[in-house]
Amino acid sequence: MNIKILTPEYVVFEGEVDSVLLPGKNGEFHIMKNHAGIVSSLIGGNVKLFAKSIDEAFAKNFTKEAGKDSVFAYAIKSGVVEFNHDKGIILCE
C-alpha cells in the first residue's frame, strides 16, 4: 500500500509499506492492506510504518524501534489521515 506523510514544510515520506499504526483520539489504530476507507483525526504520538526498508532520502525523518528492523517511527503533534483503495495521505504537524 502507498502512504504519503506531509507537513506544511516538506514531504516526510512517500512510498510502499506493509501497514501503518496511527495515534487516534480513542487510541492507536492499525491500517493494513485492503482496509476500508477511513478519514480520521490524529493526536500527538508516533506514526509507525511497518516496512522492510524505506528510501534513504526519507530515513533521516524516522527513528527505528529498538530490536525491530522493520518499524520506523515519526513523531507528530496532531493531524489527519485519509485512506482509501490502498492509498493513504497523512497530513500532520
Side-chain angles (χ1 to χ4, degrees):
M1 58 190 231
N2 187 276
I3 296 291
K4 289 182 188 179
I5 302 175
L6 307 171
T7 70
E9 291 84 28
Y10 61 98
V11 176
V12 174
F13 176 81
E14 182 175 1
E16 294 295 316
V17 300
D18 296 324
S19 64
V20 61
L21 185 67
L22 300 161
K25 284 188 172 187
N26 295 321
E28 290 183 324
F29 61 99
H30 209 139
I31 296 178
M32 303 171 115
K33 189 173 175 142
N34 298 320
H35 194 286
I38 186 172
V39 174
S40 180
S41 60
L42 303 173
I43 62 169
N46 285 321
V47 172
K48 296 181 183 179
L49 302 179
F50 293 79
K52 291 173 185 63
S53 65
I54 59 175
D55 190 294
E56 285 187 32
F58 300 119
K60 66 179 184 263
N61 299 321
F62 292 86
T63 57
K64 277 191 170 184
E65 288 222 340
K68 297 180 182 178
D69 289 339
S70 61
V71 181
F72 302 87
Y74 178 72
I76 66 168
K77 293 179 185 174
S78 65
V80 102
V81 61
E82 177 184 11
F83 185 85
N84 204 12
H85 301 292
D86 284 341
K87 293 181 183 173
I89 298 176
I90 300 165
L91 305 173
C92 57
E93 327 184 60

